[in-house]
Amino acid sequence: MIVALDHIAIAVPDLEKSIKRFMEDFGLTYKGREDVVSAKTSTAFFPLPETQIELVHPLNDEGPIKGYLEKRGPGLHHLCFRSDNIEEDVTRLKAKGYQFLSDAPSPGAHGSQVIFIHPKSCDGVLIELSQPQAGEH
Ligand code: CO
């Protein structure tokens, strides 16, 4: 049985730059680097508390997921970081040069407020920030 999401792997062209992003810009705890020589791969890990898998599908056969599926097919769509103050995080990241897909957060699932960082700003990975509705989490 599946007991946890162990990790999500992102292929990055500049490991030091990406480590800095996750530590300094996103404020995650850095567990360290490990070169897996047998796999000819350098790894870096950032442990996180509990998470969820979200399946996303076009509603009424329209919307951004429809375009994504037509263009790129099924696959990993985005990572979502929970925020306790999304306005503050957006302001901070915009000041660091991050581009967002919209000007301001908009409604997401479970009454949350969400905003997406452009994949161009994050090594090709679409990253969502989500602030849960008060009372949820
Ligand atoms: Co999401």
Side-chain angles (χ1 to χ4, degrees):
M1 66 189 163
I2 304 293
V3 294
L5 176 61
D6 193 83
H7 64 267
I8 294 163
I10 303 169
V12 298
D14 184 337
L15 185 57
E16 291 305 326
K17 187 175 157 198
S18 298
I19 288 171
K20 256 184 104 184
R21 166 178 303 130
F22 280 83
M23 279 172 76
E24 294 173 12
D25 300 351
F26 296 155
L28 302 191
T29 301
Y30 177 43
K31 194 176 157 192
R33 278 183 61 165
E34 183 184 344
D35 291 341
V36 186
V37 177
S38 59
K40 298 183 172 131
T41 303
S42 251
T43 67
F45 281 92
F46 302 85
L48 281 172
E50 104 274 3
T51 187
Q52 303 183 69
I53 298 288
E54 175 187 30
L55 304 179
V56 289
H57 181 77
L59 178 64
N60 297 327
D61 203 31
E62 59 185 15
I65 303 301
K66 182 179 168 71
Y68 180 92
L69 287 170
E70 282 171 358
K71 209 168 130 198
R72 305 179 60 172
L76 185 59
H77 184 258
H78 65 269
L79 305 187
C80 178
F81 292 122
R82 190 181 306 150
S83 169
D84 56 9
N85 189 335
I86 195 166
E87 299 286 354
E88 193 180 276
D89 283 331
V90 168
T91 302
R92 188 174 56 80
L93 291 170
K94 275 186 180 166
K96 284 175 170 277
Y98 284 82
Q99 291 178 43
F100 287 78
L101 296 188
S102 58
D103 290 333
S106 57
H110 314 300
S112 60
Q113 285 292 310
V114 306
I115 192 165
F116 288 88
I117 302 172
H118 197 289
K120 271 195 302 198
S121 295
C122 295
D123 287 322
V125 177
L126 180 61
I127 292 188
E128 176 185 15
L129 304 177
S130 172
Q131 181 171 358
Q133 196 176 38
E136 303 248 341
H137 276 287

